Amino acid sequence: MVFLTSVLIVAIIYYLQTDGLIYATIIAVVAELINIFMTKTLTQSVEKKAAADFGKIIDGYKIKITGQKKAIKDLEDIQEQSINKIYKANLKIREYEEKLGIKGNESFQSDGNPPDIPPLPVKEELSGKVNKKEYIDLPSGSNRKKLPF
């Protein structure tokens, strides 16, 4: 656009000389106005396209967020229902314990005798040998031999 305007201005000045200077100035101003309007139109179209693209991205995130909020609400409802069921079950357990005359710390025994609990196995310690972890400066899987000191 600028090149064609320049060629036109040079041609007018060449043929019309002094009078052509006025015509060339008018043509340059009109060409500049056209350039400004074209730039404005291009800028507006790019803005609309960018707004549409980012609008799609934002809409996608909005949908994702609403889905996550719904999932969180569903999980909170399930948690609330579970808490209510556990509370009701604990109330029934207390009620049954009161009916059977069981104290809160005792566990239910059918014959009244304490349960047979086997003793915990005692770990045998090695006599004279203490198992200490050695400091090794080699990475795991290294084939290099340890240093003698």
Side-chain angles (χ1 to χ4, degrees):
M1 178 81 182
V2 175
F3 177 73
L4 294 175
T5 306
S6 300
V7 170
L8 185 63
I9 290 173
V10 169
I12 291 173
I13 290 175
Y14 180 73
Y15 288 112
L16 298 177
Q17 296 179 359
T18 55
D19 292 335
L21 191 58
I22 295 171
Y23 294 120
T25 306
I26 293 172
I27 290 173
V29 169
V30 170
E32 195 61 37
L33 287 174
I34 292 171
N35 188 19
I36 289 172
F37 288 125
M38 289 176 64
T39 304
K40 180 183 175 189
T41 305
L42 178 68
T43 305
Q44 287 176 344
S45 68
V46 169
E47 285 177 353
K48 287 180 184 177
K49 186 176 180 182
D53 289 344
F54 285 115
K56 288 178 185 177
I57 293 171
I58 290 171
D59 290 340
Y61 280 121
K62 284 181 182 178
I63 291 170
K64 189 185 255 186
I65 288 172
T66 55
Q68 289 175 347
K69 284 183 180 179
K70 183 178 179 185
I72 289 170
K73 176 117 173 76
D74 291 343
L75 291 173
E76 286 175 349
D77 291 342
I78 291 170
Q79 182 181 18
E80 192 67 33
Q81 291 172 358
S82 300
I83 289 171
N84 288 335
K85 287 180 183 178
I86 290 172
Y87 178 74
K88 289 177 184 177
N90 284 336
L91 288 178
K92 283 187 178 183
I93 289 171
R94 285 187 195 139
E95 181 182 319
Y96 289 139
E97 285 177 347
E98 288 175 1
K99 284 182 182 178
L100 296 173
I102 300 173
K103 294 181 182 175
N105 295 336
E106 296 178 3
S107 61
F108 178 75
Q109 296 294 327
S110 59
D111 58 354
N113 296 330
D116 294 329
I117 301 173
L120 295 175
V122 179
K123 294 183 180 179
E124 296 178 15
E125 295 180 352
L126 299 174
S127 60
K129 293 184 179 179
V130 179
N131 227 355
K132 291 184 180 178
K133 291 188 175 182
E134 298 177 8
Y135 174 72
I136 301 174
D137 64 342
L138 301 176
S140 61
S142 175
N143 292 333
R144 195 178 90 196
K145 294 182 181 179
K146 290 189 281 184
L147 296 175
F149 52 86

